Amino acid sequence: MLLIYLLGLFCGVNSALFYDSYSGTEITREDVKKHDKANTTFWCVNEIEPCNSTEGRRVDGSCNNLKHPSRGATHTPFVRLLPAVFDKNFEPRKSSSGNDLPLARYLRTRLISVGKVPSTIFTMLAVHYFVFMSADVLSLHDTVNYIQWKPYCCTEKGKTDHMCVPNKIPEDDPVHRFSGIRCLNMTRPESFQSIGCVKNNTVPDRIVSSTPLLDLSVIYGNLLPPLLQKARLFTGGLVKTEIEEGRIWPPSYKTQANVCFLNQRPKETRCHQMPEDGSNTLAGINLVAIWFWRYHNFIATELAKVNPCWEDDKLFETARDINIAVSLQIYYYELLPVFFGFDNMAEDGVIDRVGGFRDLYNETILPQLSLEYPFVLRWVHNIQDGTLKLHDEEGQYLRQFPIMNLTMRTGFLAVDNNIDYLTQGSFRQGSAKIDYIADPEVTERGLGPHQKVSDIVTNDLSKNRYFGFQPYVNYRQFCFNKRIKSFDDLHGIIDEERIEVLREMYERVEDIDLLAGIWTEKPMRGGFVPPTFYCLVIDQLKRNMYSDRHWYERPNRPNAFTFPQLAQIRKVTIARMLCDVGDTVKRIQPHAFLKAGFKNPIGDCKHIMSMDFSTWKDDSCGAGGGSFAHLFEQVVEKR
C-alpha cells in the first residue's frame, strides 16, 4: 500500500476511487470538489486504492469487504439493532403519554447511588482493558466537543447553540441543592447530518473517526498514508521509541500538543505521538496503549531472531498482525469470559472451547459497528474506581491519585516513577464492585479539572435519548423474544425495590430508557453482567467475526496463521504481556484481570506461559537464529 501511494505521489498517478462515506457508493471527482468547497471532504469522502484480495489488513480498514470497499473504513455509519425513535425535529422521545421523560440527573440519583465499594473479584486492569478496547472503535471528539470547543452550554451563549444540550439539575438534588449549580454541560453527538455529509431532515447518524472493527487502530492509526509512517523506524519491523530513565516510550511530540493540555508544565511534558490522539486521553487507555506499542517491538524483535533474512516490511506487518491477534485473544478469551461466563460465551458461539481454527466469515454481513455496542459499554462506568492506587514492585501501597485528574495528562506517567507504580497498581487494586453504586469521582467530577461539575453517568443516560434508542422493553424483546407489558412483568428480571423506583419514575413500563433498564437488571446466570448488556455486546462480538475478512482465527484469510502459530497466540495473557513489556513487572498473578488470592497467587513471571516464536521460522532464511539486537531488547534485559 505504501509503495502504491508513493508511486502515485511521485508519478502524478492516482488510481484511487472515491466513496461517499455515509452511503458507501462510489462518487465522482466532481462530487469530491463539491465537498472540498464545503470543507467536508475529510468526514464525507473515503479515498480508497483498488482492492487486492490477497493483501493483508489495511490500516484504514478499507477493502475488508471486497464488494463494499469503503465499509470497514473510518467515518462510516453505525448499524442499529432497532430503528431510531425521536420526537419532532429529532429531539429526544417523549413518554408514551406525550409528557417529558424524567430528568436524566434525577433518574441517575434515584437509580444509582454514590459511594466507594471495592470489588474483591476484579482488578482495575480489567476496567483499563475494557476502556482501551472501546477506544479502538470510537473517537472522543464528542467529549472534546464540550470540554474544549463548547464548554459554555450552561451559559446564555449555550441557549442559542443548537449543539448544546445541557442536563438540568433539579432543585432538590442530593448534592447540589445548596451549591447553586443547576446545569451539567453536554453537547449533541456529532452526526453525518451535523458535519454536513447528509441533509439535516434525516435521522441523525453518529459519526466517529475510528475504524469499526477491532484492529488496534488506536495504536496503528486508521488513515492512508498512515500517520504511523512517521512513527516507524523502518528497520527490523520496529516502531520508533524513546528511552527515558530506562523506560521505553512511544515517540513524543516535541512541542506541547493540545490533546495533553492538562500536563503540569514544565515537569510533565510527554504527549505521545501515536497515530490516534485518543491514546493520550484517559489514563487506562494511555497505559494499555503504551504496552501494546512496546509489545509490537517485542514481537518484531523475536521474529527477527528466528528470521534474520526478513526485511523490514515483512517483520512490521507480521508483528502488527500478531499484535492485533493478541489484543483480540485477550479480549475474547480472557477478559470477557470472567464477566460474561465462559460457558455462556461458548454456547453462544463467541469463543471456541477447543481453540482451533474458526472460519465464520460471511461477506453479506458488512464490517460495521452497532450503535448499541459502544453505548452499553458505558455500563462499565459503574465499576470504575475513581482513584488509582499506586504500588511498588513489592506490592507495597504508596499513595492514590484521582483518575479523573489524569484525563489528557499523559505527562504524569513519565515523572516520579508513576508509570511503574500505576502498572503495579493496575493488577493489585480492585475495581469498584458490581452493584448499584457509582464512585463519586465518576458522578460529580467525571471530567476532573476540565469541567467544574460533571456527572458521566447522567450524561450516559442523556445520550441514550439523543442517540434515539428505543425503550428498554423493546430491546428486552429483541434479545429474549418475550414481551414486557407491565411493571409486574419485570419480576425476576429486576429486584423488587428497584421495580418500585422505576414505577415511581416512569409513567409506563414502555417508557423505561435502555440504559436505566440495564442499570437495574439482576446479573445473568453464570456471569456478573446484566443480561441485556450481555446480549447487545455479544451481538457485536459475533458481527466482528462474521464480517472481518482478516479475523485472526480464520485459516483462509490472506497471510493466515498456521495452526501451531495460532496455538502460540492462544497462550498469551495480559499477565504475560505485562511480564514482557510492563514496567518493573517481575511477579504477577496468572489471571491478572482477577484479584490475587489463594487460587490466583502472585508468582514469578517465569511461570507464566509465553509464545514460542520458532513457529514463525521461515526455512528460506537458513539455519540458526538472527543476530538482530535492538535497544528495546537491551532495556528489557536491564530491568
Side-chain angles (χ1 to χ4, degrees), residues 234-441:
F234 292 103
T235 299
L238 301 169
V239 291
K240 291 179 181 177
T241 55
E242 295 175 356
I243 309 300
E244 186 177 314
E245 296 183 358
R247 297 181 187 85
I248 302 166
W249 301 93
S252 185
Y253 290 104
K254 299 306 179 186
T255 58
Q256 178 74 356
N258 287 336
V259 74
C260 300
F261 60 81
L262 273 195
N263 277 357
Q264 303 298 297
R265 305 282 284 184
K267 193 175 183 181
E268 298 176 2
T269 59
R270 183 159 292 281
C271 190
H272 298 138
Q273 194 178 358
M274 294 189 196
E276 288 300 303
D277 280 338
S279 59
N280 288 304
T281 51
L282 306 180
I285 298 174
N286 203 346
L287 269 177
V288 182
I290 291 169
W291 298 334
F292 272 105
W293 188 270
R294 295 171 176 175
Y295 203 62
H296 174 97
N297 278 4
F298 174 84
I299 297 168
T301 300
E302 295 299 316
L303 290 173
K305 287 179 181 179
V306 298
N307 296 309
C309 73
W310 279 13
E311 296 183 351
D312 172 69
D313 276 350
K314 187 166 186 178
L315 285 168
F316 176 83
E317 291 300 340
T318 306
R320 173 173 170 258
D321 202 22
I322 295 172
N323 212 16
I324 293 171
V326 166
S327 73
L328 292 168
Q329 177 68 25
I330 292 173
Y331 190 47
Y332 271 68
Y333 284 87
E334 185 179 6
L335 176 68
L336 294 179
V338 299
F339 283 90
F340 292 3
F342 184 93
D343 288 339
N344 291 331
M345 294 181 70
E347 288 172 10
D348 285 327
V350 181
I351 55 179
D352 182 55
R353 293 182 186 275
V354 178
F357 283 126
R358 292 197 299 166
D359 194 350
L360 304 173
Y361 179 64
N362 184 342
E363 67 176 7
T364 66
I365 300 176
L366 299 181
Q368 290 179 287
L369 193 70
S370 79
L371 186 59
E372 287 84 353
Y373 166 74
F375 175 76
V376 297
L377 284 181
R378 294 168 187 264
W379 172 84
V380 176
H381 285 147
N382 293 359
I383 62 170
Q384 171 76 67
D385 195 305
T387 56
L388 292 178
K389 295 181 179 178
L390 284 65
H391 292 74
D392 65 19
E393 61 182 297
E394 301 301 324
Q396 297 298 316
Y397 168 77
L398 301 176
R399 61 185 183 278
Q400 64 184 30
F401 198 87
I403 190 172
M404 304 308 171
N405 286 5
L406 296 183
T407 301
M408 298 182 182
R409 189 180 167 186
T410 298
F412 177 86
L413 301 184
V415 298
D416 300 331
N417 302 323
N418 283 333
I419 191 169
D420 303 22
Y421 303 146
L422 288 173
T423 299
Q424 291 286 339
S426 69
F427 59 84
R428 299 177 187 276
Q429 176 187 356
S431 69
K433 184 180 179 182
I434 296 178
D435 51 21
Y436 307 117
I437 300 172
D439 193 286
E441 289 286 319

Side-chain angles (χ1 to χ4, degrees), residues 19-72:
Y19 292 84
D20 180 276
S21 62
Y22 178 73
S23 67
T25 57
E26 190 175 342
I27 59 176
T28 67
R29 289 184 180 274
E30 291 302 315
D31 295 322
V32 176
K33 289 179 181 178
K34 293 178 182 177
H35 282 292
D36 289 341
K37 187 176 181 179
N39 197 30
T40 56
T41 306
F42 174 76
W43 291 100
C44 306
V45 177
N46 283 326
E47 183 178 357
I48 297 174
E49 300 288 346
C51 299
N52 180 345
S53 62
T54 63
E55 68 180 318
R57 185 189 297 275
R58 290 187 177 182
V59 172
D60 70 346
S62 64
C63 292
N64 199 309
N65 188 296
L66 298 176
K67 291 186 177 180
H68 303 275
S70 71
R71 290 302 184 241

Side-chain angles (χ1 to χ4, degrees), residues 163-288:
M163 289 301 292
C164 282
V165 285
N167 286 302
K168 294 180 181 179
I169 297 178
E171 295 287 337
D172 60 348
D173 188 84
V175 174
H176 294 293
R177 63 179 65 198
F178 303 118
S179 73
I181 298 173
R182 294 290 176 263
C183 181
L184 299 169
N185 195 59
M186 199 181 85
T187 54
R188 295 177 191 272
E190 291 282 10
S191 65
F192 285 93
Q193 287 76 9
S194 64
I195 292 291
C197 303
V198 183
K199 292 181 179 180
N200 281 323
N201 60 354
T202 54
V203 175
D205 276 298
R206 191 183 186 195
I207 188 170
V208 300
S209 57
S210 291
T211 52
L213 295 181
L214 297 169
D215 57 3
L216 282 188
S217 60
V218 72
I219 301 296
Y220 296 108
N222 54 39
L223 299 175
L224 286 176
L227 179 60
L228 184 60
Q229 299 305 325
K230 298 179 182 178
R232 279 183 63 177
L233 194 62
F234 292 103
T235 299
L238 301 169
V239 291
K240 291 179 181 177
T241 55
E242 295 175 356
I243 309 300
E244 186 177 314
E245 296 183 358
R247 297 181 187 85
I248 302 166
W249 301 93
S252 185
Y253 290 104
K254 299 306 179 186
T255 58
Q256 178 74 356
N258 287 336
V259 74
C260 300
F261 60 81
L262 273 195
N263 277 357
Q264 303 298 297
R265 305 282 284 184
K267 193 175 183 181
E268 298 176 2
T269 59
R270 183 159 292 281
C271 190
H272 298 138
Q273 194 178 358
M274 294 189 196
E276 288 300 303
D277 280 338
S279 59
N280 288 304
T281 51
L282 306 180
I285 298 174
N286 203 346
L287 269 177
V288 182

